[in-house]
Amino acid sequence: MTKRIIIDTDPGVDDALTFLLALASPEIQLEALTTVCGNIGIDKTTRNALAVLELAHASHIPVARGCSLPLVSSPGKSGEVVHGTSGVGKAVLPEPKSQPVEQHAIDYLIERILAEPQEITLFTIGPMTNLALAIRKEPRITQALKELVIMGGAIKQGGNVTPLAEFNIHADPHAAHIVFHSGIPITLIPLDATYKCLLTVADVERLNRIDSPIARFVRDATATYMDFYKKYEGFDGCALHDPLTLAAIIAPEIFTYEEHHIDVDISGGVSNGNTFADFMKISKKPANMKVALDVRGRDFIELFIERMETLSRSIQDST
Ligand code: RIB
Ligand code: CA
């Protein structure tokens, strides 16, 4: 059965690939995008969301512009070194013709979730500022939201923005704290799983045997991303952090999930933004989420490339 989803996002190279995967997946109906500051500022994340939908002939999908700052923290270091100054690597996308909806992302999320209780699955693939404020403004969404899938956190794996913290959580740890303790049914896809999903140059070359603006976008957008991974993390490839979240719908069998009580450090010290599991159940608190601690990463990459090939064949250069 098709699942109706909204993606809250800070595009962002891997965020952009997530939109394309959602559009290429018959199991998913992409209802809307809500944007937030994160990898790059809100003007660019909102523009990129509109521009990538236009590239994929999906401008009918609404985009709602969200928060430009975290709840408490000062804006984190820019993600430009990873995602490029545009936020989509070396890809060059025309200025989008479409505009975001009038509503702020917080109000858009509240309206859509309350209008159809238990129908919408929300994916957060950036800092959770919009969702945290929506929960505070209208707590009823915690009962109406069908499920929340989060790309974020690092449980047994080290962090990627500090030794202990993953980028999306570290960028707004207070928002994560509100969401983690909201009672919403949560599936967490942390770095423990996402770092096992490495897209390689060979994968991108295979995709580009198809002459399509989609294939070229994947090549150009990931070019900066791959440069970063080579230079700073010693990988030949790049981790598809955000796209992997969609496997919770399109290929749940590739994950190894455990149920745990997960919390986030908001103390402001050296471990600020650290996400940790109560593996020994010392707090006696019930599990508050399902966590993907392992994944068949290569199976996901194969699925991703196959679906990008299908999307590329369907979207050719306009004559
Ligand atoms: O840590 C990975 C996350 O940080 C991804 O969502 C990526 O887009 C960046 O936002
Ligand atoms: Ca992201």
Side-chain angles (χ1 to χ4, degrees):
M1 184 180 83
T2 304
K3 280 208 175 176
R4 301 169 63 196
I5 77 168
I6 293 175
I7 302 177
D8 189 74
T9 177
D10 62 336
V13 171
D14 56 331
D15 302 70
L17 301 185
T18 309
F19 312 160
L20 297 181
L21 181 58
L23 294 168
S25 298
E27 305 89 342
I28 289 173
Q29 181 175 316
L30 181 57
E31 294 277 340
L33 300 179
T34 52
T35 60
V36 68
C37 68
N39 286 316
I40 206 151
I42 190 66
D43 290 340
K44 288 184 179 178
T45 59
T46 304
R47 179 209 182 273
N48 289 339
L50 293 164
V52 174
L53 290 177
E54 207 150 293
L55 170 77
H57 299 180
S59 291
H60 60 284
I61 293 173
V63 174
R65 177 190 169 107
C67 292
S68 57
L69 286 172
L71 296 187
V72 175
S73 319
S74 53
K77 58 185 176 187
S78 162
E80 291 187 2
V81 68
V82 186
H83 299 270
T85 51
S86 69
V88 284
K90 294 176 182 166
V92 179
L93 293 176
E95 200 59 28
K97 298 181 188 65
S98 52
Q99 292 291 320
V101 299
E102 284 297 312
Q103 274 174 310
H104 190 282
I106 297 169
D107 298 315
Y108 186 85
L109 285 170
I110 291 170
E111 181 184 284
R112 289 298 307 271
I113 293 167
L114 289 188
E116 297 185 272
Q118 295 305 314
E119 283 293 324
I120 301 293
T121 296
L122 178 64
F123 283 73
T124 56
I125 58 174
M128 290 182 270
T129 316
N130 291 334
L131 177 55
L133 286 173
I135 290 169
R136 284 290 186 258
K137 182 170 184 179
E138 181 44 87
R140 287 183 297 154
I141 65 169
T142 63
Q143 303 300 317
L145 189 58
K146 181 182 177 69
E147 185 182 2
L148 170 63
V149 181
I150 299 170
M151 191 282 126
I155 306 303
K156 296 180 178 175
Q157 160 83 34
N160 63 350
V161 71
T162 74
L164 289 170
E166 177 276 329
F167 178 86
N168 287 338
I169 305 299
H170 185 265
D172 197 337
H174 302 87
H177 195 274
I178 289 170
V179 173
F180 283 11
H181 299 286
S182 66
I184 295 171
I186 295 173
T187 298
L188 184 74
I189 312 293
L191 296 181
D192 306 70
T194 64
Y195 267 124
K196 293 177 178 167
C197 298
L198 296 185
L199 183 74
T200 67
V201 170
D203 294 322
V204 176
E205 286 171 352
R206 166 184 154 187
L207 174 61
N208 275 270
R209 290 182 201 138
I210 301 169
D211 183 16
S212 160
I214 298 293
R216 289 194 297 276
F217 174 79
V218 172
R219 179 195 64 202
D220 298 343
T222 56
T224 308
Y225 211 31
M226 289 197 183
D227 292 346
F228 169 84
Y229 274 88
K230 182 75 177 167
K231 183 173 179 185
Y232 292 99
E233 305 204 3
F235 292 162
D236 273 327
C238 60
L240 294 194
H241 301 293
D242 293 338
L244 181 61
T245 57
L246 296 185
I249 293 177
I250 61 183
E253 69 282 356
I254 66 173
F255 289 115
T256 301
Y257 286 123
E258 294 182 17
E259 302 259 345
H260 289 294
H261 185 85
I262 304 284
D263 212 333
V264 54
D265 182 350
I266 54 173
S267 61
V270 68
S271 60
N272 201 43
N274 175 229
T275 48
F276 50 96
D278 183 4
F279 287 113
M280 304 294 284
K281 305 198 185 321
I282 293 168
S283 70
K284 304 273 189 290
K285 290 178 183 173
N288 57 348
M289 59 184 82
K290 183 169 80 170
V291 192
L293 289 176
D294 200 357
V295 68
R296 299 200 313 258
R298 194 63 213 165
D299 288 2
F300 174 71
I301 297 297
E302 287 294 332
L303 176 66
F304 175 77
I305 290 297
E306 284 162 12
R307 297 208 172 181
M308 287 303 100
E309 287 175 327
T310 303
L311 188 65
S312 296
R313 290 189 189 97
S314 71
I315 295 179
Q316 300 292 312
D317 292 306
S318 47
T319 49

